[in-house]
Amino acid sequence: MRLQLCTWAEVEDRLKHSTGIIVPIGSTEQHGPNGLIGTDALTAELIAQGIGEAVDALVAPTIAVGMAQHHMAFTGSMTLRPSTLIAVVRDTVQSLARHGFDRIYFLNGHGGNIATVSAAFSEIYAEASLAGAGANRAALRCKLKNWYETPGIKALSKELYGDSEGGHATPSEVAVTQFAFPEAIKKVEMEPKIAPRGPILDAEDYRRRFPDGRIGSDPSLATPEAGKRLYEVAVKDLIEDYREFLKAA
Ligand code: NI
């Protein structure tokens, strides 16, 4: 159930039964020649809502702009600097914790968020760690989970795409958006077929090395049918992970 579609009284009632909530987090950044700029936010939101429906969990509004400064040489990309994203994550968690949510599960669609969101969790925990003993309630727990790295997703993307999966603008993530938004599918020939791989230093360096935005991938292989399979596998794997997280003492 989306938090945005509840009344405050319904949220208060739900908290009597579960203090967990899922927060989708993604990015608004270039995803190569046929990938949507919203890919990382759209996939995280879609999969979070799938988990929410399957286990009757609350899903908070998506944090749709992430830490994507290395994509900024590509038009349409947006970023929060790390300090801003830390503040956004911290205020998000503390808003929810104010009401009694104490298991906050961030479902992530963007690798560039990992370091910053992990630092945000450390900032949140620091308040309790540095405050000393006293609070007579279960500790606030946050978890960051990347949907694109579950065992089922890794196996299925390997089966579907092998070496063409790559590292950015992957056929798997593009396929999930094609399943969710078939009206936005773009047909583009890739040249070269599989994009090069390598390190990135900053935004300008990224565009110099990877001129069409892809890294190591061939997203022209994406299909909405594969996207449906990937979506279903992700939801199945993540239901288990979310349940385990709620149980964590
Ligand atoms: Ni992505």
Side-chain angles (χ1 to χ4, degrees):
M1 167 61 93
R2 289 168 57 180
L3 176 71
Q4 290 161 300
L5 300 184
C6 296
T7 66
W8 71 264
E10 285 171 332
V11 177
E12 197 164 87
D13 200 46
R14 279 175 165 270
L15 270 163
K16 293 174 190 151
H17 311 289
S18 174
T19 53
I21 189 164
I22 303 169
V23 182
I25 181 166
S27 183
T28 299
E29 76 194 30
Q30 69 84 13
H31 267 76
N34 69 339
L36 308 181
I37 284 179
T39 297
D40 293 350
L42 297 169
T43 52
E45 181 169 289
L46 180 80
I47 293 163
Q49 287 179 1
I51 304 166
E53 280 161 27
V55 301
D56 193 30
L58 270 184
V59 179
T62 301
I63 300 175
V65 180
M67 213 304 283
Q69 57 200 32
H70 49 297
H71 292 286
M72 290 307 292
F74 294 90
T75 313
S77 301
M78 297 170 68
T79 192
L80 301 180
R81 65 186 65 218
S83 55
T84 310
L85 184 56
I86 287 173
V88 168
V89 169
R90 196 171 156 188
D91 288 359
T92 298
V93 168
Q94 287 178 335
S95 299
L96 295 168
R98 165 82 169 73
H99 307 302
F101 290 100
D102 62 6
R103 295 290 181 275
I104 322 282
Y105 187 88
F106 283 78
L107 186 67
N108 183 39
H110 173 52
N113 287 338
I114 296 170
T116 303
V117 174
S118 302
F121 291 172
S122 295
E123 287 284 350
I124 292 160
Y125 296 151
E127 287 175 32
S129 307
L130 297 173
N136 185 24
R137 60 192 277 276
L140 176 65
R141 293 278 177 94
C142 301
K143 177 166 181 170
L144 181 71
K145 184 74 181 178
N146 305 319
W147 74 259
Y148 50 88
E149 283 181 342
T150 74
I153 286 288
K154 278 187 164 175
L156 181 55
S157 59
K158 191 166 183 201
E159 174 198 320
L160 288 167
Y161 305 121
D163 288 343
S164 303
E165 173 71 0
H168 181 66
T170 67
S172 292
E173 60 182 346
V174 170
V176 173
T177 63
Q178 290 186 345
F179 160 60
F181 303 95
E183 70 282 9
I185 293 175
K186 331 277 179 190
K187 293 271 180 225
V188 183
E189 291 296 320
M190 302 289 156
E191 179 54 44
K193 189 85 175 115
I194 299 182
R197 292 172 177 274
I200 326 159
L201 294 178
D202 60 20
E204 296 304 323
D205 180 62
Y206 188 130
R207 186 155 176 172
R208 246 187 332 267
R209 290 175 195 252
F210 309 102
D212 70 6
R214 298 175 291 152
I215 299 180
S217 64
D218 177 8
S220 69
L221 300 174
T223 64
E225 294 75 23
K228 181 171 189 288
R229 287 178 68 192
L230 288 155
Y231 164 80
E232 286 167 356
V233 164
V235 170
K236 179 170 164 290
D237 281 3
L238 291 161
I239 286 170
E240 273 319 297
D241 193 69
Y242 182 64
R243 285 198 172 124
E244 286 300 312
F245 174 62
L246 293 185
K247 277 194 267 172

